[in-house]
Amino acid sequence: MNNLDLSAAITSATRRKGNVMISFGIIGLSAIYLQKLGLTSSNGSNIGIDAFILLGALLWLFLNGRAVIQPARALLLVALLFSVAFALVGEAFAGAAIGSLPAVFIFLLIYTTLIFQVDVSRKLALRCFNIFQRGMLAIAVVIIAQQAMQFSIGNRYWPNLDSILPSGLLIHGYAYLRPYSWNSPFLTPNGVFFLEPSIASEYLAIAFTAELIWFRKTWRLAILAGGLVAGMAGTGLAVIALVSPVLLFKLDRKLLKLASCIGLPLLVVAGLNGAFSHLLDRSTELSSSNSSGYARLVIPFDETWSLIANPSFLLVGDGPGTSPKGDNQVQWPANKLIYEYGLVTAVIFHIFLLWSVLGSPASRTMALVVLIPHLFFGGGIVAHSSVMTLVLFGSLIRIVPSRSDKVADAALWEWPESNASLEEAAVR
């Protein structure tokens, strides 16, 4: 290879890496800062503009030869498509109303994004994930500032996108402004740009876990943890608690010392001063039928098993968009799909989802962090804010180790004292 050929190859490789980083950055930052923007149809249904940004960025990677369609996922998606079509035909033959065809289109379109995959080096993967981290560091600061403002000059001075932007450009149906409790004068921080506080908390949990696994910068962990606690929402803390047994094995000696010598005493002092009283109050929600936790976990669990036991929902359901909705109706993907399309479709969907997200992610721990809320916390099966994290930290990035990555792997076993050096180390 002559010098010209070598130069052309380097330029091409650099451009391909740039395409991946730009696309990942567009998806990640729009998921954080644009998730409240959307379009509303004549029947009142919403679709976020992030869904179009996500699909457009993935198609750009595919058309530029950087992303591929993963065959196994594509076959499972085709199986899901046929299952949905069979359910719709069955409903038509039974004389039932087919339901909302736009709901079917949105459902299948947004999950098509899970079939794309990009092979990258660990170094490039870290650079991509670091874009998301920087975006969430700013959100953590915003949430901390919201609490500081609330307890000083008042939450009426919070930036409110519902008041700033036209209603027709916003996604509706979420608790954007949510009081601590009934008639409480204090609001749960929403990070300004998020649909509701629980989603902001979930995203902070994603960033905190990513920091522990990949970057391990103490100052960034402190800011993200501060945002999680200041956010006063239980979603992120619940996710971290569920994956904590795995996370403990990913802490190096320095972080373990900091957690033992500084973190635990601070938590004790904060607890004695009532800092966690709101979260402790929420910990009893599963036993209260009027609580958010009961509606998000207990009711969907009971409804899912009731539908599974009903033979009339085996092959067909009552039609897309017909599942019960209301203030106290929280849907899991399981009970929503069984009710609308039947048990067979729900099973195929879950196989497709689990294979796409857990099959070859950059980190299965991270994949679990984004998957658990999607399956069990009732964020909405076609909510773009949820599906985008499945793509970013589950289905899209597959790490193909290079020679330099193997050297970095060896360095990881030596637990370097400098956290900064871990940014160039391998993704575990």
Side-chain angles (χ1 to χ4, degrees), residues 13-248:
T14 302
R15 186 182 299 114
R16 286 159 62 87
K17 290 179 181 179
N19 287 340
V20 173
M21 286 189 63
I22 291 171
S23 298
F24 190 97
I26 289 172
I27 297 170
L29 295 179
S30 65
I32 296 171
Y33 294 107
L34 301 180
Q35 63 178 253
K36 267 191 69 68
L37 302 182
L39 304 174
T40 304
S41 65
S42 57
N43 63 2
S45 59
N46 299 305
I47 181 169
I49 65 168
D50 275 350
F52 302 103
I53 293 173
L54 172 62
L55 189 60
L58 293 175
L59 286 175
W60 169 257
L61 285 174
F62 178 74
L63 293 175
N64 279 274
R66 199 63 185 93
V68 299
I69 295 176
Q70 212 278 335
R73 299 181 203 170
L75 288 175
L76 287 169
L77 181 65
V78 171
L80 178 63
L81 175 64
F82 276 105
S83 178
V84 168
F86 179 86
L88 295 178
V89 171
E91 290 159 12
F93 272 106
I98 293 180
S100 172
L101 291 179
V104 181
F105 174 76
I106 293 173
F107 166 58
L108 294 175
L109 177 67
I110 199 163
Y111 281 99
T112 299
T113 59
L114 296 183
I115 67 175
F116 294 98
Q117 179 177 285
V118 178
D119 290 347
V120 299
S121 67
R122 289 174 172 175
K123 185 175 181 180
L124 179 56
L126 283 172
R127 288 179 176 176
C128 290
F129 296 136
N130 201 38
I131 298 173
F132 182 86
Q133 294 300 97
R134 290 173 177 173
M136 285 309 301
L137 281 169
I139 293 298
V141 172
V142 168
I143 288 176
I144 294 171
Q146 282 185 300
Q147 283 290 38
M149 185 181 294
Q150 174 165 244
F151 288 101
S152 56
I153 61 176
N155 54 39
R156 64 185 179 277
Y157 295 103
W158 285 4
N160 185 346
L161 294 184
D162 286 343
S163 301
I164 297 172
L165 299 176
S167 178
L169 294 178
L170 296 171
I171 295 290
H172 302 282
Y174 291 84
Y176 182 61
L177 297 177
R178 189 179 73 196
Y180 279 3
S181 58
W182 179 255
N183 282 334
S184 173
F186 301 111
L187 298 176
T188 307
N190 53 25
V192 178
F193 301 98
F194 286 79
L195 290 167
E196 62 181 34
S198 62
I199 298 177
S201 180
E202 177 187 337
Y203 271 56
L204 283 170
I206 294 170
F208 183 81
T209 308
E211 195 66 34
L212 276 177
I213 293 174
W214 291 321
F215 303 104
R216 298 173 180 162
K217 286 190 174 181
T218 305
W219 68 271
R220 299 209 306 195
L221 285 169
I223 293 175
L224 293 169
L228 266 172
V229 174
M232 304 297 287
T235 300
L237 296 174
V239 174
I240 290 175
L242 289 172
V243 299
S244 59
V246 179
L247 289 178
L248 287 175

Side-chain angles (χ1 to χ4, degrees), residues 254-332:
K254 186 175 180 180
L255 287 177
L256 283 172
K257 289 177 182 178
L258 286 173
S260 302
C261 300
I262 299 177
L264 289 178
L266 285 177
L267 289 176
V268 171
V269 172
L272 292 175
N273 285 276
F276 303 118
S277 58
H278 173 67
L279 295 176
L280 290 174
D281 290 342
R282 297 204 67 185
S283 66
T284 62
E285 287 188 356
L286 294 183
S287 60
S288 173
S289 59
N290 294 323
S291 69
S292 172
Y294 190 91
R296 285 175 179 268
L297 296 174
V298 178
I299 293 178
F301 178 83
D302 291 341
E303 288 182 349
T304 298
W305 282 108
S306 176
L307 290 168
I308 290 174
N310 189 339
S312 64
F313 285 97
L314 177 61
L315 298 177
V316 299
D318 283 358
T322 61
S323 54
K325 299 176 180 64
D327 292 338
N328 295 320
Q329 294 288 339
V330 177
Q331 298 172 327
W332 288 358

